[in-house]
Amino acid sequence: MAYETSEFRNGLKVEIEGNPYSIVYFQFVKPGKGTAFTRTKLKNLLTGAVIERTYRTGEILAEADVEEQPMQFLYEQQGTYTFMNTESYEQVEIPGKVLGDDRVFLMENLEVSVLFYKGRAVNVTLPNFIESKVAWTEPAVKGNTSNNITKAAKLECGAELQVPIFIKEGDLLKVDTREGGAYVSRL
Amino acid sequence: MRALREALWEQGFIELEPPLLVHGPALEANLEPVRAGDGYLHTSPEFALKRALAAGLPRIFAIVPCFRGEEHGAHHGAEFTMLELYLSNANYLDLIDVVEGLVGRAASAVGVAPPSFQRVTVAQLFAGEVPANDDDFYRHWVERIDPALVAPTWVLDYPSRQAALAEIRGPVAERLELYLGGLELGNGFSELGDGEELRARFAESAAQRVRMGREPHPVDEGVIEATSRLPRCAGIAIGMDRLVMALTGAGDIGDVRVPR
């Protein structure tokens, strides 16, 4: 499969110079009296880096051999993370470096989306929000409300973040995974 | 629209209603006309208005829908509205005052401050190194120059091979384009006054169309004949949809038209 410029859509997965990209922006442009182009922004699915490219109308990009699969986290062993496809029940092992900093949010049975490129897992997308209990936090310091309105806490999943001072150990928190772990609310 | 018409009427311009259904839809190789009946829908009213100009009307304009195939996007519609005007005893630089006056009136009508325009030549935009072939020229334009044309700007003096229907003076065509709000609003010329030169440009365009694997545009004998009888004159076409977008900040051409 290949895509011509007129078929470009946001989210389309294409292969450029041996890397898979997702189209995140496209615009038809035609300078006065000139030839038509499609201006694009493309996100590298391996590195997350965004590049800008301009294609002449009629140019063709190959479809990237990528596939997204719904998976559930099972367990971690010596830096290798095992997931199970929630439809086929097939299991796959993913090295920790693919997960990067996101690994601190993994909990048993957490449902994620795993991106495969040429059959190899290259990216794991977490849900935007997860719920986890507070494993440890400093006790609130009475009277000290003017300077420190947040304090450090560690969740059962392993993530560390700043929480409001009224949070206690054992509280169930809703956390935004997209900004490296941001407190949303107490549940 | 009303403000523009009033401003043009005050300056002695006569409004014409050119035919939309034509036999010769365009000159430029990069325009795709839309077929209709045994002819085409026009891509601009240029050829018809030049017949009127050759017949002796010194100041004319039309505000008409135009049709261009294979152009779809936030800044392009297959159907759009164009203001085209012609001015006798004038060259392309004389268009600037007239058009700045019109844009100012339109701006006041929608309650925004009239923009003030800077002028720059194509050679200046390319820092003196204008690419020798159109492929490199347009790619560099799209990637580097067009995104930087944010301020209200007149771009002057295009390479002679991109003259379209403009008079050529040395290495450049007496052609200008108007940019406002980052949008290319219009294109104007010192109008070519030599019918045989126009015939040669039709032939050049046809050859280019064949190389592109496209059908050449039919030659419009009427406009060739009229061109030789033209007074010294200048003309410009301005996209009305984009003018409204530029003045109102609308991001998509679909937002300023009645839905299809």
Side-chain angles (χ1 to χ4, degrees):
Chain A
M1 268 292 284
Y3 301 106
E4 202 242 337
T5 48
S6 64
E7 298 170 299
F8 284 8
R9 296 288 174 268
N10 285 340
L12 207 62
K13 309 287 194 293
V14 294
E15 173 112 4
I16 303 167
E17 292 155 10
N19 280 294
Y21 287 85
S22 173
I23 296 178
V24 292
Y25 169 88
F26 70 98
Q27 189 190 25
F28 176 87
V29 284
K30 188 175 183 184
K33 312 293 173 202
T35 40
F37 292 87
T38 301
R39 199 182 271 157
T40 63
K41 287 184 187 167
L42 302 135
K43 185 177 167 190
N44 185 317
L45 293 171
L46 304 181
T47 65
V50 174
I51 61 167
E52 293 185 17
R53 288 287 168 96
T54 305
Y55 295 97
R56 268 185 81 131
T57 292
E59 276 191 77
I60 284 166
L61 289 178
E63 181 183 25
D65 177 13
V66 294
E67 191 193 355
E68 244 171 314
Q69 291 185 18
M71 296 220 151
Q72 208 173 46
F73 175 61
L74 297 181
Y75 57 87
E76 180 255 329
Q77 202 169 27
Q78 292 168 342
T80 297
Y81 295 74
T82 302
F83 292 82
M84 179 185 71
N85 186 311
T86 54
E87 286 159 6
S88 66
Y89 304 113
E90 214 172 292
Q91 290 189 13
V92 60
E93 291 183 347
I94 299 178
K97 69 173 177 3
V98 170
L99 289 148
D101 293 338
D102 280 351
R103 72 185 89 180
V104 296
F105 298 112
L106 288 176
M107 294 172 291
E108 211 178 301
N109 298 334
L110 185 70
E111 296 201 352
V112 300
S113 174
V114 178
L115 184 76
F116 291 86
Y117 173 52
K118 293 182 176 165
R120 192 165 56 89
V122 292
N123 191 36
V124 177
T125 306
L126 300 180
N128 290 342
F129 300 102
I130 59 152
E131 293 169 10
S132 185
K133 278 187 179 165
V134 178
W136 167 88
T137 185
E138 298 165 5
V141 181
K142 277 229 168 74
N144 185 6
T145 52
S146 55
N147 297 326
N148 294 325
I149 52 166
T150 62
K151 59 179 183 173
K154 186 164 180 171
L155 304 181
E156 285 182 352
C157 64
E160 291 177 31
L161 72 173
Q162 291 288 311
V163 298
I165 49 171
F166 60 80
I167 298 296
K168 300 185 297 292
E169 288 176 7
D171 284 350
L172 184 63
L173 303 189
K174 182 177 178 183
V175 175
D176 190 332
T177 61
R178 287 167 295 185
E179 292 149 34
Y183 169 85
V184 177
S185 63
R186 180 168 63 177
L187 298 167
Chain B
M1 291 293 189
R2 178 173 168 169
L4 290 172
R5 279 199 168 90
E6 283 173 356
L8 285 161
W9 291 334
E10 285 164 20
Q11 295 172 63
F13 284 87
I14 294 173
E15 182 167 9
L16 296 180
E17 196 167 283
L20 304 185
L21 194 55
V22 297
H23 292 294
L27 167 67
E28 295 92 325
N30 290 317
L31 287 182
E32 295 306 325
V34 177
R35 279 194 174 278
D38 62 348
Y40 302 89
L41 296 170
H42 72 175
T43 60
S44 86
E46 179 153 16
F47 294 172
L49 294 184
K50 282 190 170 162
R51 287 175 170 85
L53 209 58
L57 294 175
R59 293 185 153 217
I60 54 177
F61 77 98
I63 297 177
V64 285
C66 294
F67 304 87
R68 294 180 182 182
E70 301 181 20
E71 298 193 10
H72 303 278
H75 301 159
H76 293 81
E79 175 178 354
F80 61 98
T81 302
M82 188 118 97
L83 162 63
E84 189 151 318
L85 68 86
Y86 289 89
L87 197 59
S88 294
N89 299 314
N91 72 14
Y92 70 136
L93 298 175
D94 297 316
L95 296 166
I96 292 178
D97 275 350
V98 174
V99 172
E100 287 187 1
L102 292 176
V103 172
R105 284 281 280 267
S108 304
V110 298
V112 302
S116 70
F117 291 86
Q118 59 180 23
R119 299 181 192 186
V120 62
T121 65
V122 169
Q124 286 168 335
L125 288 173
F126 280 93
E129 292 176 29
V130 182
N133 71 72
D134 284 346
D135 265 8
D136 293 344
F137 181 95
Y138 289 125
R139 183 172 288 276
H140 187 86
W141 189 273
V142 166
E143 290 183 345
R144 304 256 170 252
I145 294 177
D146 175 84
L149 283 171
V150 179
T153 304
W154 288 100
V155 180
L156 309 170
D157 300 341
Y158 284 71
S160 59
R161 63 174 187 283
Q162 296 172 8
L165 286 146
E167 281 285 6
I168 290 172
R169 170 173 44 80
V172 298
E174 292 198 342
R175 178 182 150 204
L176 46 69
E177 289 210 353
L178 171 65
Y179 277 80
L180 182 63
L183 291 167
E184 179 202 325
L185 291 194
N187 178 86
F189 305 133
S190 293
E191 297 296 343
L192 179 66
D194 178 342
E196 288 315 305
E197 167 68 16
L198 178 55
R199 187 185 298 284
R201 291 191 195 175
F202 265 113
E204 217 172 283
S205 160
Q208 200 181 334
R209 298 275 300 166
V210 170
R211 284 198 298 277
M212 292 160 70
R214 304 273 191 175
E215 197 182 322
H217 299 315
V219 176
D220 183 331
E221 289 296 336
V223 78
I224 289 178
E225 190 269 333
T227 292
S228 289
R229 290 190 292 118
L230 284 180
R232 195 173 70 89
C233 64
I236 187 165
I238 299 169
M240 291 292 97
D241 311 80
R242 289 195 194 167
L243 176 61
V244 174
M245 290 169 72
L247 293 176
T248 61
D252 193 300
I253 198 163
D255 296 341
V256 300
R257 292 192 66 88
V258 178
R260 224 176 8 175

